[in-house]
Structures are given as structure tokens and as C-alpha cells.
Amino acid sequence: MIPRVAVLYSGRFYGNLTPGWMQNHYENLIIPNNASVFVVADLLNICDAYGLTVSAINMSSGTITANAQRAFLEDARSVFFGWPYVYVRLLERDPPSNILQRTIKTLETLKLNMTLKHFMRMGSLLRTWQRQFEHFAQADDLCRQFGPFDVIVRARADILLVNKSSISELPVSDDSMYALGYNSW
């Protein structure tokens, strides 16, 4: 049986600024596995200033509208060369006050004894990590709407695969995890 594969991208969306990176994933991961692609980003992490998404957001005074979601889908499909199984979710940027409150609460829960300098550094890391996990959770939620999938790959656009990765050739089980490989600069 050929496993159903989902590839999740969350965080920064570079759009057409990274054609080599996305072509690498398209040819080495997405096509060989007939994978569904899920892309989640917030307003702060749309990095292609000339893409359709930014234009749609600017036309709506910085808010997410149905037009912005459609533009994001069109940008993502363009990045993945028109692949038909691309799904997106554009997120509002988290208000700084919410991030700070959650960070303080997390640090209090951990009951860490630290100096102000360490508190500020730890708070910065926790805010970043929390946002990353929240984005990943949103990508996973989006994936579940179109699943179930036998294999879910958490991908990073800036990590390149060294060869084609046919997941159906791997012994896949609930307790297996693989690193598919990368090519450093």
C-alpha cells in the first residue's frame, strides 16, 4: 500500500524568493510521494513583498480577508509549480501583549531562578518557540481537515534534500522517525 503523505511548512513563507529551494522539495519529496502540501504563516512572516498575498493584505489595511487567503493559496501553488494538492492558512499576527503574558506565565510555571538578563533571553526564546509550535499546531490542524495521512513530514524550506525520498520504500510505523537528509551551503 502506498502511504498518504503530507508535507507541512510553517513559519516563514518566502514565496517566489526561493525557487531553488522549493524546486528541490518539489522534485525530491512532493512528486515522488504524491504528497499533499500544507503551508501556514502569519502576517509577519510573509517575506515576498511582491507576492499576491502582501498586495491583498495591503489592500485590506493589514487584515486577513478571504481575498488574502486566496492570494496566499495562489502564491503557495505558484511556489510549488502549480501542484494541485496545496492547502494554506494565513494567520493574524499575535499581539505582543499576549506573547508577553504567556511568556511570563510559562516562566513562572517553570519556577526558574534567574537574573533579569537570563529572564529576558529565556523570554525571547520561549516567545519564538511558542510561536513556532503554535504555527506547527495550525499546520497539523489544517492537515487533519484533509487527512488522515499515513506519514507527516515537517519540512523546512531552507533544508535541501540530497536525493529523491520515496517514503513508500521506508518501513513506516507509528514509532518510526526519519531524517531525510540535507545539503548544507
Side-chain angles (χ1 to χ4, degrees):
M1 178 178 94
I2 297 174
R4 283 194 71 206
V5 177
V7 180
L8 278 54
Y9 296 89
S10 60
R12 286 195 176 93
F13 178 73
Y14 293 97
N16 287 309
L17 299 175
T18 57
W21 295 358
M22 299 295 52
Q23 183 172 357
N24 175 276
H25 286 221
Y26 183 69
E27 293 174 354
N28 293 319
L29 180 62
I30 295 164
I31 290 176
N33 295 293
N34 195 34
S36 295
V37 177
F38 298 87
V39 183
V40 172
D42 66 25
L43 297 177
L44 180 66
N45 286 299
I46 303 293
C47 300
D48 185 358
Y50 301 104
L52 298 173
T53 308
V54 171
S55 296
I57 291 166
N58 289 340
M59 288 192 316
S60 63
S61 302
T63 60
I64 297 175
T65 62
N67 285 340
Q69 290 283 4
R70 279 191 295 276
F72 188 35
L73 177 59
E74 197 169 330
D75 278 345
R77 283 204 173 133
S78 171
V79 164
F80 292 104
F81 307 96
W83 188 249
Y85 310 112
V86 174
Y87 308 92
V88 300
R89 182 175 292 166
L90 188 57
L91 306 172
E92 295 284 349
R93 183 166 181 232
D94 206 6
S97 60
N98 290 352
I99 295 171
L100 182 59
Q101 289 169 357
R102 286 196 314 248
T103 301
I104 291 170
K105 187 172 185 163
T106 302
L107 289 172
E108 288 173 349
T109 302
L110 294 173
K111 297 182 179 163
L112 298 175
N113 184 14
M114 60 180 71
T115 66
L116 180 60
K117 175 183 169 185
H118 290 109
F119 175 84
M120 297 304 286
R121 177 70 180 136
M122 182 62 80
S124 174
L125 288 173
L126 287 173
R127 284 192 307 274
T128 301
W129 294 339
Q130 186 164 17
R131 197 173 309 122
Q132 288 173 346
F133 282 116
E134 287 171 356
H135 287 186
F136 179 71
Q138 289 283 337
D140 184 56
D141 179 62
L142 182 62
C143 177
R144 289 173 192 271
Q145 291 178 21
F146 296 91
F149 291 92
D150 301 305
V151 177
I152 297 173
V153 177
R154 166 58 167 102
R156 285 182 48 139
D158 60 338
I159 304 293
L160 304 181
L161 302 166
V162 291
N163 54 31
K164 288 189 179 7
S165 300
S166 180
I167 292 174
S168 64
E169 297 171 8
L170 299 173
V172 177
S173 68
D174 288 343
D175 60 353
S176 61
M177 182 181 294
Y178 295 94
L180 298 177
Y182 71 98
N183 186 10
S184 62
W185 308 117

